[in-house]
Every structure is written in structure tokens, then in C-alpha cells.
Amino acid sequence: MSVIELTNIVKTYDMGEAEEVQALRGVTITIGKNEYVAIMGPSGSGKSTLMNVIGCLDTPTSGQYLFNGLVVSEMNDNQLAQIRNKEIGFVFQTFNLLARSDSLHNVELPLIYGGIPSTERRRRAKETLEHVGLGDRSHHKPNELSGGQRQRVAIARALVTRPSIILADEPTGNLDTKTGEEIMMLFEELHSQGNTIVLVTHEADVAAHAHRTIRLRDGMVESDELVTTRRSYTQAAAS
Amino acid sequence: MHLLVELKEGILISLRAIRANKMRSVLTTLGIVIGIVSVTLMATAIEGVNRAFDKSAAAFGTDVLYIQRFPWISNEDWHTFRNRPRLEVQNAAAIERQSKLTDAVAPVLTTRRRLTQRDESMESAFVTGTTHQYMMVSGGTLAEGRFFSAEESNGARPVCVIGATVAETLFPRQDPISNVIRVAGFPYTVVGVFEKQGGLFGEFTTDTRVFVPMNSFQSKFGSRRRDVTIQVRVAKAAEMEDAKLELEGIMRKLRRIDPGKENNFNINQQEILTATFAPISLVIASIGLFITGLSLFVGGIGIMNIMFVSVTERTKEIGIRKAIGARRRSILMQFLVEAAALCLIGGVIGLAIAFPLSLIVDQVLPTAMPVSVVAVAIMISLVVGVISGFLPAYRAARMDPVEALRYE
């Protein structure tokens, strides 16, 4: 069964005075379990809007969105929050960690909103931090970590609830090339462990890591193809 | 379960936020501190006034009726009572004989005289003539010694019982018992001293009084043209009203008042004072608490203002929290908890300041900060926090996660 099923998704923004902007004009995409998909497109192509819709941060104006068979497009705020909490792991370009909290607490946060008791919470957060290679940084605050480490904390936060998909928005945008490559390798590893990953980017280099590329233009799917000349894990490591 | 976990997180976040903005938190809290200090001090002062009143009223005795020429409290003109006949000392004996519902009767006559004891003196103290039954018909208690006996009273012996202030003035370094004082030159031996009463009705307490046997009083200071009060103790408190009717009947018979005509005397009791004072005290308390409550209100507005700032500042954080699954309820609670925590801290600091101040108030007006006031102050600061935090928190909770995440 597919994880994400978008059918004819339209999203219009009301700009006032009867002026409307159509960010998405009928997008139909299906993403299956353990896929690694890159969504590409120039700015203004609607990829941010699409990410917000897929991430259940926003609801489409029309069209149907099925997430694991559930009709997300008709859910209310609280139900959406619950889907975001349990099923989706966000990784942002600017990391979006809580500045006043240490790594451990940042990773614990989704579990807090999931109502997990503190001992189990702490155990799972520690485990996940170790998983991304930051077991020894659990009591550091974001400003005491490097950019790459911050993004790893953010990835740990996305992973800790064992979500159905990981949704990454330009995850290497604020990192230097080498650190970016490391983060991409981490994604590769997570994918090989069975995670479903959706990557939003405008960089072909980054998109090249994915197994499937969906290109958007003017709010519509321009192309949707499997990547054949994919930069492999070993190639990336060698470069 | 969910809610508890989130509440704990809310408390943690708010403490962190408060600590991160120390100066701002202190200044904001100051408004609540001042509000709580003024409200609790006002409540303490009101408590002091009430206590002083209760204590003073207690001196009249709850089960004692005062038969007098004038009512204690009246809206009518003075002249309607002026022409009433005075009560007479002998009325007391008649009442004692005829009344079945009362068990002690004492006539009381008072004048003002100069007291002396060696080099010490006291100008125009109250000198009261009464009988040995006086102790049963008043609310006073003795600190030492005894009241004069029936024999001393009937035999007009030169003995006296003095009030606390009299004792302090005439015997600054010495035990007054068995010593002689002079009342307008006449020697009286002190046999007892009253406990200090204090309170609002200075003139009516025993503090500045000297009690001498009625027979002695009448022969030394005269009884003509003086108002006699007859104090009567009701045997059973439950029969207060019946006793009043009985006394009224006895007095009307003694004075031969025709049926249908009005009484030319009054039967007063402590209840008249408390019934008059209660609504006045309620009005004073309400106005006082309302005015001081305004300062708490201003403090609440300060909290609301700073919470709006806090919400705007942390728009991004709200976005992050929403993205990873915080519901509206969770965000609402987080900011409500923060506002409540600010106010609660203010309330506790306010109480910590108000308590020593209440001890100063205590020096002027005997009082104590009532436990109920402490509890209510804590409750009020919590409620103020929740109310003033609600609008900002609601705004935070309603934020669109996409917009909030984009905020820089």
C-alpha cells in the first residue's frame, strides 16, 4: 500500500481584492513505502506548498490526500497535529531546534506531545541520538554544536517517533559541501534501513541521491522519473 | 496522562523562559507583587478592625441586657428621649425579685473623679458604683485579686477594683492589690485588677475605670441627676427574646405605663452594636479591597502585555512545536502556564513582603494576616495569570504553523 496518495491537489492563496494565486494546480503523486523521492523545481514552482501539504502543515483547497489510507484533506487541526506528531518527521533547512533546550530535550519533544512517559522518552531519545552519531552530545545546546551536528539532532528528532515518512526541506542548504554530503549519507543509510524519505530541494546534486525525482513547474508535475544514473553511496564516499 | 506530560513540559518551558528574560520577568512581576501586597495588607487591616470590634463588643457580654434611658443606636432626635424619666437604683432590686428568666442584676452608676496614689494621679477617671453581681453581668475578666463581695457591697466598704490603665498609671512599679487609692480624696483599698481590654470603645471598657460598692458610691458621690444603667444577665442564651419581653413587662409595670403607650426606656444589647457595625464593616471592606484590587488589575494588564510580546518573540518556536505535533491545546497551556507562573511567583514574593509589613500593622492595630487571605492571594494571583495570559496564549495557539515557521 502506498504511504502518500495525492489526487488532483489544488492550493490557492487568497491575496485579497479577489486576487488569487494558484500555488498548486492539480498535482497527482503516489509515494510508496521505503521510497526515496526528491521533489525539485525552481522557486515559485510550488514545491514548498506541496511540502506543507504532504507534511500536513497545510490543507489543500481541493483534491484528495490519503495518508496511509486516511483522508488527510478533511482532517481538523488536532487530527493534523496528531498525524504530524506520529507519522511525519520534519527536517528543515535552518534546523529549527529549540535554542534553549539541549539535544536530548529537542529530540524528546515529539514524544512529549505524543504523551510518552519520561523514562521511556529519555531512553528512546538517547538511542536515536546515538543512532545519528551524537551519543556524546546529548547535553549540548544547539549553539554549542556545529551545523552538521545540529542537523543530526534535527534528524534524530524526526526519527524518534518512528514516523511513516521523513520530510526534508533543503536539509543541506545551510551546510558546507562536505557536511552536506555527510548528511546525505545519513539519509541514504536511513533509507536502507527501511525509512521512506521525501526530499525537497532545488539542487540537482542533492536530488541525485534520491531514487526518484519529481519535478514541479508552475504548480504542476513536469516530470516524474526513476533515477538511473544515481550517485551511489560508494561514489559519494569516494568524492 | 497526555495532559500531565504536557503540563510538566509547560512548567519547564515557562521557568526556562522566565529565567532567560530575568529583567523583564522581574519588572513584570513587580506589578503583581505590589497588587498582592496592597490587597493582603488591606485584608489584614480590615481583619484588625473587625477583631478590635469583636473584642470591644465582647466586653458588653453576649448574654447581657442593658436597661437604660437611651438607646445605643437610634435614628431619632435626641429630644424624643431627653424627657424620659431616669432609671433608679432600686429598680434593680425589683427586677431581681420579679424576673424569672434572668440570674444576675446589677445597677451601674458612673461619674468622673480625680484619682491619686502617693505622688501618682489620674485626672477624671471613670468611677463606677455597682454591686457584687457586676462580674456576672459584664464581659470583663480579672487579671488578679477578686471583685468585692456581697458583704462589702451591701456594707458600703471602702474597697475598689481597678482597670488595667488605672493600675498602670497609679502603680507604675508596684502591685496595686491591698494598697489604698484615693478617689476624690476618699480612700479605697484595691482588691482586684481587671485584665486589659483595649479595643475601639475606650470609654466603655474597664481599662480606665474604678469600681466601688454602690452604697458607698451613693453616699460619697451622690446618685441624683445621674443615669443609672441596670445590667441583667439572661439565664439561658436561647431565651434572650423572652427575657427581653419579660423585662419590658416588669419595667412597664414599675413605671405604670398604660397599654398602647410607648416605652420610656430602652433595653440594649451587644447585638445592636454588631448588627450596626457588620454592614458598615462590609462596605469599608468592599471599597478597600476594590481599590487595592485595582492595583492587582494593573499588574494583570502588565502580565498580559508581556505575554503578547513573549508570544510574538517566540512565533518561530510555536511553529516548530506545531510542526512536530503540538496541538492548539498544548500551545495554549504552555503560555497559560507561563503567565500563571509569573503571577504565582509575584504572589509569593508579595506575600513574603506583606507578612513582615503586617507585623508592623499589628503594632498599631492588633491583627494577624489571616490564613484565608494567604490562600486567597495565591488563588487570585493564579487566576490573574490565567485570565491575563489567555488572550496571548489563544493567539499563539491559533497560529498557522506554516506562517509561524516562516517567521524570522
Side-chain angles (χ1 to χ4, degrees), chain B residues 340-387:
Chain B
L342 269 176
C343 287
L344 202 58
I345 292 170
V348 171
I349 295 173
L351 281 177
I353 293 174
F355 184 68
L357 288 180
S358 78
L359 296 182
I360 296 173
V361 175
D362 186 44
Q363 300 300 309
V364 187
L365 185 69
T367 184
M369 191 183 283
V371 178
S372 60
V373 166
V374 175
V376 167
I378 294 287
M379 280 302 296
I380 285 179
S381 39
L382 257 178
V383 168
V384 166
V386 170
I387 290 175

Short mmCIF file of all heavy atoms in Angstrom, two decimals, chain B residues 340-387:
data_model
loop_
_atom_site.label_atom_id
_atom_site.label_comp_id
_atom_site.label_asym_id
_atom_site.label_seq_id
_atom_site.Cartn_x
_atom_site.Cartn_y
_atom_site.Cartn_z
N ALA B 340 0.71 32.14 34.39
CA ALA B 340 0.35 31.78 35.76
C ALA B 340 1.59 31.69 36.64
O ALA B 340 1.58 32.13 37.79
CB ALA B 340 -0.40 30.45 35.77
N ALA B 341 2.67 31.16 36.08
CA ALA B 341 3.91 31.03 36.86
C ALA B 341 4.44 32.41 37.23
O ALA B 341 4.84 32.64 38.37
CB ALA B 341 4.95 30.25 36.06
N LEU B 342 4.42 33.33 36.25
CA LEU B 342 4.86 34.70 36.54
C LEU B 342 4.06 35.30 37.69
O LEU B 342 4.61 35.86 38.64
CB LEU B 342 4.67 35.59 35.30
CG LEU B 342 5.83 35.71 34.31
CD1 LEU B 342 5.39 36.55 33.12
CD2 LEU B 342 7.04 36.34 34.98
N CYS B 343 2.73 35.14 37.61
CA CYS B 343 1.86 35.72 38.63
C CYS B 343 2.04 35.03 39.97
O CYS B 343 2.03 35.67 41.02
CB CYS B 343 0.41 35.62 38.19
SG CYS B 343 0.03 36.78 36.89
N LEU B 344 2.20 33.71 39.91
CA LEU B 344 2.33 32.95 41.15
C LEU B 344 3.61 33.37 41.87
O LEU B 344 3.61 33.59 43.09
CB LEU B 344 2.38 31.46 40.82
CG LEU B 344 2.01 30.53 41.96
CD1 LEU B 344 0.61 30.85 42.45
CD2 LEU B 344 2.06 29.09 41.49
N ILE B 345 4.69 33.53 41.11
CA ILE B 345 5.94 33.99 41.71
C ILE B 345 5.72 35.37 42.32
O ILE B 345 6.12 35.64 43.46
CB ILE B 345 7.06 34.03 40.64
CG1 ILE B 345 7.41 32.60 40.20
CG2 ILE B 345 8.30 34.74 41.18
CD1 ILE B 345 8.32 32.52 38.99
N GLY B 346 5.02 36.23 41.56
CA GLY B 346 4.70 37.56 42.07
C GLY B 346 3.89 37.48 43.36
O GLY B 346 4.16 38.20 44.32
N GLY B 347 2.93 36.57 43.37
CA GLY B 347 2.08 36.41 44.55
C GLY B 347 2.87 35.98 45.77
O GLY B 347 2.70 36.51 46.87
N VAL B 348 3.76 35.03 45.55
CA VAL B 348 4.56 34.51 46.68
C VAL B 348 5.50 35.60 47.20
O VAL B 348 5.61 35.83 48.41
CB VAL B 348 5.35 33.25 46.26
CG1 VAL B 348 6.34 32.85 47.33
CG2 VAL B 348 4.38 32.11 45.98
N ILE B 349 6.15 36.32 46.27
CA ILE B 349 7.02 37.42 46.69
C ILE B 349 6.20 38.48 47.43
O ILE B 349 6.60 38.99 48.47
CB ILE B 349 7.74 38.06 45.47
CG1 ILE B 349 8.69 37.04 44.83
CG2 ILE B 349 8.52 39.30 45.89
CD1 ILE B 349 9.31 37.51 43.53
N GLY B 350 5.02 38.77 46.87
CA GLY B 350 4.14 39.75 47.50
C GLY B 350 3.80 39.38 48.93
O GLY B 350 3.87 40.20 49.84
N LEU B 351 3.48 38.10 49.13
CA LEU B 351 3.15 37.63 50.48
C LEU B 351 4.37 37.74 51.39
O LEU B 351 4.26 38.13 52.55
CB LEU B 351 2.67 36.18 50.43
CG LEU B 351 1.23 35.98 49.99
CD1 LEU B 351 0.91 34.50 49.92
CD2 LEU B 351 0.29 36.67 50.96
N ALA B 352 5.55 37.40 50.83
CA ALA B 352 6.77 37.46 51.62
C ALA B 352 7.05 38.89 52.07
O ALA B 352 7.61 39.12 53.15
CB ALA B 352 7.95 36.92 50.82
N ILE B 353 6.65 39.88 51.26
CA ILE B 353 6.83 41.27 51.65
C ILE B 353 5.72 41.71 52.60
O ILE B 353 5.96 42.42 53.58
CB ILE B 353 6.85 42.18 50.39
CG1 ILE B 353 8.10 41.86 49.56
CG2 ILE B 353 6.83 43.65 50.78
CD1 ILE B 353 8.15 42.58 48.24
N ALA B 354 4.50 41.28 52.29
CA ALA B 354 3.34 41.73 53.07
C ALA B 354 3.38 41.20 54.50
O ALA B 354 2.94 41.87 55.42
CB ALA B 354 2.05 41.31 52.38
N PHE B 355 3.94 40.00 54.67
CA PHE B 355 3.90 39.41 56.01
C PHE B 355 4.64 40.25 57.06
O PHE B 355 4.05 40.61 58.08
CB PHE B 355 4.42 37.97 56.00
CG PHE B 355 4.30 37.30 57.33
CD1 PHE B 355 3.04 37.00 57.86
CD2 PHE B 355 5.42 37.04 58.10
CE1 PHE B 355 2.91 36.41 59.10
CE2 PHE B 355 5.30 36.46 59.35
CZ PHE B 355 4.04 36.15 59.85
N PRO B 356 5.92 40.62 56.82
CA PRO B 356 6.58 41.48 57.81
C PRO B 356 5.87 42.83 57.97
O PRO B 356 5.80 43.36 59.09
CB PRO B 356 7.99 41.68 57.27
CG PRO B 356 8.00 41.12 55.91
CD PRO B 356 6.87 40.18 55.78
N LEU B 357 5.30 43.35 56.88
CA LEU B 357 4.56 44.62 56.98
C LEU B 357 3.33 44.45 57.88
O LEU B 357 2.98 45.35 58.62
CB LEU B 357 4.14 45.10 55.59
CG LEU B 357 5.26 45.64 54.70
CD1 LEU B 357 4.71 46.09 53.35
CD2 LEU B 357 5.97 46.81 55.38
N SER B 358 2.71 43.28 57.79
CA SER B 358 1.52 43.04 58.63
C SER B 358 1.90 43.02 60.10
O SER B 358 1.10 43.36 60.97
CB SER B 358 0.84 41.73 58.23
OG SER B 358 1.54 40.63 58.76
N LEU B 359 3.15 42.64 60.39
CA LEU B 359 3.59 42.65 61.79
C LEU B 359 3.71 44.09 62.28
O LEU B 359 3.48 44.38 63.45
CB LEU B 359 4.94 41.93 61.93
CG LEU B 359 4.91 40.44 61.58
CD1 LEU B 359 6.29 39.82 61.81
CD2 LEU B 359 3.85 39.71 62.39
N ILE B 360 4.05 45.00 61.36
CA ILE B 360 4.11 46.42 61.73
C ILE B 360 2.69 46.93 61.97
O ILE B 360 2.42 47.62 62.95
CB ILE B 360 4.81 47.23 60.62
CG1 ILE B 360 6.26 46.77 60.49
CG2 ILE B 360 4.73 48.73 60.94
CD1 ILE B 360 7.00 47.38 59.33
N VAL B 361 1.77 46.55 61.08
CA VAL B 361 0.37 46.93 61.27
C VAL B 361 -0.12 46.43 62.63
O VAL B 361 -0.83 47.12 63.35
CB VAL B 361 -0.52 46.34 60.14
CG1 VAL B 361 -1.99 46.62 60.40
CG2 VAL B 361 -0.11 46.90 58.80
N ASP B 362 0.34 45.25 62.99
CA ASP B 362 -0.06 44.60 64.24
C ASP B 362 0.28 45.48 65.45
O ASP B 362 -0.40 45.44 66.47
CB ASP B 362 0.63 43.24 64.34
CG ASP B 362 0.14 42.46 65.55
OD1 ASP B 362 -1.08 42.44 65.75
OD2 ASP B 362 0.97 41.89 66.26
N GLN B 363 1.35 46.28 65.34
CA GLN B 363 1.74 47.14 66.45
C GLN B 363 0.70 48.23 66.68
O GLN B 363 0.47 48.65 67.81
CB GLN B 363 3.10 47.81 66.15
CG GLN B 363 4.24 46.84 65.93
CD GLN B 363 4.49 45.96 67.13
OE1 GLN B 363 4.62 46.46 68.26
NE2 GLN B 363 4.51 44.66 66.92
N VAL B 364 0.09 48.68 65.60
CA VAL B 364 -0.88 49.77 65.69
C VAL B 364 -2.27 49.21 65.98
O VAL B 364 -3.00 49.70 66.82
CB VAL B 364 -0.91 50.56 64.37
CG1 VAL B 364 -1.78 51.79 64.51
CG2 VAL B 364 0.50 50.93 63.94
N LEU B 365 -2.61 48.17 65.25
CA LEU B 365 -3.95 47.60 65.32
C LEU B 365 -3.76 46.09 65.45
O LEU B 365 -3.37 45.45 64.49
CB LEU B 365 -4.67 47.95 64.02
CG LEU B 365 -6.12 47.57 63.87
CD1 LEU B 365 -6.97 48.40 64.80
CD2 LEU B 365 -6.56 47.81 62.44
N PRO B 366 -4.01 45.55 66.64
CA PRO B 366 -3.74 44.12 66.82
C PRO B 366 -4.45 43.30 65.75
O PRO B 366 -5.66 43.38 65.60
CB PRO B 366 -4.33 43.83 68.20
CG PRO B 366 -4.32 45.14 68.89
CD PRO B 366 -4.53 46.18 67.82
N THR B 367 -3.68 42.55 64.97
CA THR B 367 -4.25 41.77 63.88
C THR B 367 -3.27 40.67 63.51
O THR B 367 -2.20 40.56 64.09
CB THR B 367 -4.52 42.66 62.65
OG1 THR B 367 -5.15 41.88 61.66
CG2 THR B 367 -3.23 43.24 62.10
N ALA B 368 -3.63 39.87 62.55
CA ALA B 368 -2.72 38.87 62.02
C ALA B 368 -3.18 38.61 60.61
O ALA B 368 -4.38 38.69 60.32
CB ALA B 368 -2.78 37.59 62.83
N MET B 369 -2.24 38.34 59.72
CA MET B 369 -2.63 38.05 58.35
C MET B 369 -3.41 36.73 58.37
O MET B 369 -2.88 35.70 58.74
CB MET B 369 -1.40 37.90 57.48
CG MET B 369 -1.74 37.87 56.02
SD MET B 369 -0.28 37.63 55.02
CE MET B 369 0.41 39.25 55.07
N PRO B 370 -4.70 36.77 58.02
CA PRO B 370 -5.49 35.55 58.12
C PRO B 370 -5.00 34.51 57.09
O PRO B 370 -4.60 34.87 56.00
CB PRO B 370 -6.90 36.02 57.76
CG PRO B 370 -6.86 37.50 57.76
CD PRO B 370 -5.45 37.91 57.53
N VAL B 371 -5.05 33.25 57.50
CA VAL B 371 -4.62 32.17 56.60
C VAL B 371 -5.45 32.20 55.33
O VAL B 371 -4.94 31.98 54.24
CB VAL B 371 -4.77 30.80 57.31
CG1 VAL B 371 -4.36 29.68 56.36
CG2 VAL B 371 -3.92 30.78 58.57
N SER B 372 -6.74 32.52 55.50
CA SER B 372 -7.62 32.56 54.33
C SER B 372 -7.11 33.59 53.32
O SER B 372 -7.16 33.37 52.11
CB SER B 372 -9.05 32.90 54.75
OG SER B 372 -9.07 34.16 55.39
N VAL B 373 -6.58 34.72 53.82
CA VAL B 373 -6.07 35.75 52.92
C VAL B 373 -4.86 35.22 52.14
O VAL B 373 -4.73 35.46 50.94
CB VAL B 373 -5.69 37.02 53.71
CG1 VAL B 373 -4.83 37.95 52.85
CG2 VAL B 373 -6.94 37.74 54.16
N VAL B 374 -4.00 34.47 52.83
CA VAL B 374 -2.83 33.90 52.16
C VAL B 374 -3.29 32.97 51.03
O VAL B 374 -2.85 33.08 49.89
CB VAL B 374 -1.95 33.14 53.16
CG1 VAL B 374 -0.81 32.44 52.42
CG2 VAL B 374 -1.39 34.09 54.20
N ALA B 375 -4.23 32.10 51.36
CA ALA B 375 -4.73 31.15 50.36
C ALA B 375 -5.40 31.88 49.21
O ALA B 375 -5.16 31.58 48.05
CB ALA B 375 -5.71 30.18 51.03
N VAL B 376 -6.23 32.88 49.57
CA VAL B 376 -6.95 33.62 48.53
C VAL B 376 -5.96 34.39 47.66
O VAL B 376 -6.12 34.45 46.44
CB VAL B 376 -8.00 34.56 49.16
CG1 VAL B 376 -8.53 35.55 48.13
CG2 VAL B 376 -9.14 33.74 49.74
N ALA B 377 -4.92 34.97 48.27
CA ALA B 377 -3.93 35.74 47.50
C ALA B 377 -3.25 34.85 46.47
O ALA B 377 -3.06 35.24 45.31
CB ALA B 377 -2.90 36.36 48.43
N ILE B 378 -2.92 33.63 46.88
CA ILE B 378 -2.27 32.69 45.96
C ILE B 378 -3.24 32.34 44.83
O ILE B 378 -2.89 32.37 43.65
CB ILE B 378 -1.86 31.40 46.72
CG1 ILE B 378 -0.76 31.71 47.75
CG2 ILE B 378 -1.40 30.32 45.75
CD1 ILE B 378 0.58 32.00 47.16
N MET B 379 -4.49 32.08 45.22
CA MET B 379 -5.51 31.76 44.22
C MET B 379 -5.69 32.91 43.25
O MET B 379 -5.75 32.72 42.04
CB MET B 379 -6.86 31.48 44.91
CG MET B 379 -7.01 30.10 45.50
SD MET B 379 -6.80 28.83 44.25
CE MET B 379 -8.20 29.20 43.19
N ILE B 380 -5.78 34.13 43.81
CA ILE B 380 -6.02 35.30 42.96
C ILE B 380 -4.87 35.48 41.98
O ILE B 380 -5.10 35.73 40.79
CB ILE B 380 -6.20 36.57 43.83
CG1 ILE B 380 -7.58 36.55 44.49
CG2 ILE B 380 -6.04 37.83 42.98
CD1 ILE B 380 -7.84 37.72 45.39
N SER B 381 -3.63 35.31 42.45
CA SER B 381 -2.52 35.54 41.52
C SER B 381 -2.54 34.49 40.41
O SER B 381 -2.23 34.80 39.26
CB SER B 381 -1.17 35.60 42.23
OG SER B 381 -1.08 34.66 43.25
N LEU B 382 -2.95 33.28 40.75
CA LEU B 382 -3.09 32.24 39.72
C LEU B 382 -4.17 32.63 38.70
O LEU B 382 -3.97 32.55 37.49
CB LEU B 382 -3.48 30.91 40.37
CG LEU B 382 -2.38 29.87 40.53
CD1 LEU B 382 -2.92 28.64 41.22
CD2 LEU B 382 -1.82 29.50 39.18
N VAL B 383 -5.30 33.08 39.24
CA VAL B 383 -6.43 33.42 38.37
C VAL B 383 -6.07 34.62 37.49
O VAL B 383 -6.34 34.62 36.28
CB VAL B 383 -7.69 33.72 39.22
CG1 VAL B 383 -8.77 34.35 38.37
CG2 VAL B 383 -8.21 32.44 39.86
N VAL B 384 -5.42 35.62 38.09
CA VAL B 384 -4.99 36.79 37.31
C VAL B 384 -4.07 36.32 36.17
O VAL B 384 -4.20 36.77 35.03
CB VAL B 384 -4.26 37.82 38.20
CG1 VAL B 384 -3.53 38.85 37.35
CG2 VAL B 384 -5.25 38.51 39.11
N GLY B 385 -3.16 35.40 36.49
CA GLY B 385 -2.24 34.89 35.48
C GLY B 385 -2.98 34.21 34.34
O GLY B 385 -2.72 34.48 33.17
N VAL B 386 -3.93 33.37 34.71
CA VAL B 386 -4.65 32.62 33.68
C VAL B 386 -5.50 33.56 32.82
O VAL B 386 -5.53 33.46 31.60
CB VAL B 386 -5.53 31.52 34.32
CG1 VAL B 386 -6.46 30.92 33.30
CG2 VAL B 386 -4.64 30.44 34.92
N ILE B 387 -6.16 34.53 33.49
CA ILE B 387 -7.01 35.46 32.74
C ILE B 387 -6.16 36.35 31.82
O ILE B 387 -6.45 36.48 30.63
CB ILE B 387 -7.84 36.33 33.71
CG1 ILE B 387 -8.90 35.46 34.39
CG2 ILE B 387 -8.51 37.49 32.96
CD1 ILE B 387 -9.70 36.18 35.43
#
